[in-house]
Amino acid sequence: MDSFMSDKTSKIFIAGHRGLVGSAIVRKLNQIGFTNLILKTHSELDLTRQSDVESFFAQEKPDYVILAAAKVGGIHANNTYPADFISINLQIQTNVINSSYINGVKKILFLGSSCIYPKMAPQPITEDALLTGPLEPTNEWYAVAKIAGIKMCQAYRLQYNWDAISDAFSGMPTNLYGPNDNFHPENSHVLPALMRRFHEAKVSGAKEVVVWGTGSPLREFLHVDDLADAVVFLMEKYSGLGHVNVGSGKEVTIKELAEIVKEVVGFEGELVWDSTKPDGTPRKLMDSSKLAALGWAPKISLKDGLVDTYKWYLEYLKQ
Ligand SMILES: NC(=O)C1=CN([C@@H]2O[C@H](COP(=O)(O)OP(=O)(O)OC[C@H]3O[C@@H](n4cnc5c(N)ncnc54)[C@H](OP(=O)(O)O)[C@@H]3O)[C@@H](O)[C@H]2O)C=CC1
Ligand SMILES: C[C@H]1O[C@H](OP(=O)(O)OP(=O)(O)OC[C@H]2O[C@@H](n3cnc4c(=O)[nH]c(N)nc43)[C@H](O)[C@@H]2O)[C@@H](O)[C@@H](O)C1=O
């Protein structure tokens, strides 16, 4: 197996490079000196179109692929657009993984999500909890697509002995946040949604901010720059049939998260809980000891990461 880090001129296709995760990976690769990144916007290359993806790979012949393009959203988007979440994700990942194999890609990293695990999985969740129980209904369509992606990487390794020449494997990040997140009022994840709502309430002088659910669910958050660091680490160090959890190991209730975001933004009013909105999974803390045993650890605390993200958000609003 070639060393990923040994040749900084390798051709690396980062699919989804303008999103939260893809943009952080591009920042990281630029920072460590990679010079040959292949980047295509959604309008330049729609990854759901099989023949376009096949032509692109045949022409570009990337050495490495990091698959961070997907249909992504928070609890409301997942619950409202189940057909989009299952079909777009199955199409993107099937096209990209298959074309990577056909064109001799040395290593592809497929990004899944912690929602692949059963709703009531024992906590912290180890990689072997996969397919041991029913999924959380609000995101089962997305989860089924992501599970298919993991299984596709495994199947290609097994049938084609892909590992002998090259490699397909999967990383499962926990809930992420940071620069270039999606701040849509309804379709985003909780952290950017609350940052925007608190900011707008502060600016307008509103007395209250509505937060969804009961506030009791627990979530584990990881700054996307830590994730990008873990991705590069895994590209260099990991080759195996099993997927790898990538988490911070630290969890907070949604109520605690709301209080921290409120403080970082500087909103001084009250929180009002809308219990007609779903809570989703009660708890999803991942066990990331497999990754820790390889020698990786996160560096950015939730408080520091939030301060950094709010600074970014204020700059973004000026654009
Ligand atoms: N955000 C999170 O909390 C977590 C994310 N992940 C995983 O990380 C990966 C990236 O997520 P994230 O960065 O948050 O998502 P984003 O929505 O921020 O970015 C996704 C990117 O994929 C692109 N894309 C979507 N559809 C297509 C398409 N048909 N053709 C080409 N490009 C497309 C989008 O472009 P455009 O916007 O132009 O459509 C966008 O640049 C996903 O696999 C996700 O499952 C895992 C755990 C948590
Ligand atoms: C990463 C992961 O993200 C999704 O799962 P999720 O963790 O449930 O995502 P979420 O961030 O949207 O919500 C977390 C919690 O927060 C509460 N909550 C409060 N107020 C708001 C709010 O204003 N917006 C949102 N979105 N949630 C809110 C919300 O009710 C829930 O209890 C998956 O669908 C799937 O995409 C996936 O893999």
Side-chain angles (χ1 to χ4, degrees):
M1 177 71 56
D2 291 0
S3 157
F4 177 69
M5 295 292 279
S6 66
D7 182 2
K8 302 277 173 46
T9 65
S10 297
K11 226 178 193 192
I12 309 172
F13 173 43
I14 299 109
H17 72 282
R18 296 214 288 200
L20 170 69
V21 170
S23 62
I25 293 170
V26 169
R27 280 197 300 280
K28 180 74 191 173
L29 292 174
N30 282 332
Q31 185 200 325
I32 56 183
F34 280 90
T35 56
N36 200 0
L37 309 184
I38 315 175
L39 310 172
K40 291 278 174 197
T41 63
H42 189 159
S43 54
E44 287 167 343
L45 175 64
D46 183 342
L47 295 167
T48 65
R49 294 178 181 269
Q50 184 181 348
S51 61
D52 291 359
V53 175
E54 285 171 356
S55 307
F56 165 77
F57 270 82
Q59 192 185 328
E60 290 290 351
K61 299 271 180 204
D63 297 307
Y64 296 99
V65 173
I66 299 172
L67 179 44
K71 173 76 183 167
V72 178
I75 193 166
H76 171 79
N78 269 271
N79 215 8
T80 310
Y81 310 107
D84 290 352
F85 276 82
I86 193 163
S87 68
I88 293 173
N89 285 316
L90 283 171
Q91 290 172 67
I92 291 175
Q93 65 205 38
T94 302
N95 291 339
V96 173
I97 296 168
N98 189 52
S99 279
S100 295
Y101 167 67
I102 289 171
N103 291 284
V105 164
K106 292 179 190 166
K107 201 165 195 169
I108 172 170
L109 168 58
F110 168 70
L111 284 162
S113 160
S114 57
C115 71
I116 56 160
Y117 292 115
K119 176 171 184 165
M120 292 305 176
Q123 310 279 323
I125 312 171
T126 51
E127 284 86 354
D128 60 11
L130 185 64
L131 293 173
T132 57
L135 297 163
E136 155 60 30
T138 56
N139 58 35
E140 66 177 310
W141 320 98
Y142 175 72
V144 164
K146 291 293 184 183
I147 293 168
I150 298 172
K151 290 293 167 193
M152 195 163 161
C153 290
Q154 292 177 350
Y156 274 58
R157 289 179 75 99
L158 292 168
Q159 183 175 334
Y160 299 125
N161 198 19
W162 198 356
D163 193 36
I165 333 148
S166 48
D167 196 0
F169 73 101
S170 313
M172 291 311 115
T174 186
N175 290 43
L176 304 168
Y177 69 98
N180 295 316
D181 209 339
N182 167 13
F183 288 82
H184 188 278
E186 282 90 36
N187 293 335
S188 61
H189 290 104
V190 60
L191 197 154
L194 293 186
M195 188 168 280
R196 175 175 176 167
R197 219 171 287 148
F198 286 133
H199 176 79
E200 289 176 352
K202 182 178 81 168
V203 170
S204 71
K207 300 272 179 291
E208 292 177 347
V209 157
V210 174
V211 188
W212 299 354
T214 62
S216 65
L218 285 152
R219 292 291 183 272
E220 178 191 20
F221 292 96
L222 182 74
H223 192 281
V224 75
D225 286 344
D226 271 338
L227 176 77
D229 191 56
V231 162
V232 170
F233 178 88
L234 285 167
M235 289 298 284
E236 173 68 11
K237 304 264 186 201
Y238 186 71
S239 171
L241 192 63
H243 61 282
V244 183
N245 288 345
V246 186
S248 62
K250 303 241 164 48
E251 58 181 349
V252 288
T253 63
I254 295 302
K255 183 165 189 316
E256 287 163 340
L257 175 76
E259 294 293 347
I260 309 170
V261 179
K262 179 182 159 184
E263 186 195 325
V264 167
V265 171
F267 170 67
E268 290 178 347
E270 301 297 317
L271 304 187
V272 177
W273 294 90
D274 178 358
S275 56
T276 63
K277 293 284 197 302
D279 269 345
T281 307
R283 190 179 178 202
K284 49 176 172 176
L285 175 65
M286 293 202 300
D287 180 330
S288 300
S289 52
K290 181 172 173 180
L291 178 58
L294 293 169
W296 186 84
K299 298 186 187 74
I300 306 170
S301 72
L302 179 59
K303 183 70 189 284
D304 289 351
L306 280 169
V307 170
D308 163 82
T309 305
Y310 188 50
K311 266 192 209 144
W312 180 89
Y313 181 64
L314 293 176
E315 288 304 311
Y316 161 79
L317 289 178
K318 288 181 198 160
Q319 288 165 21

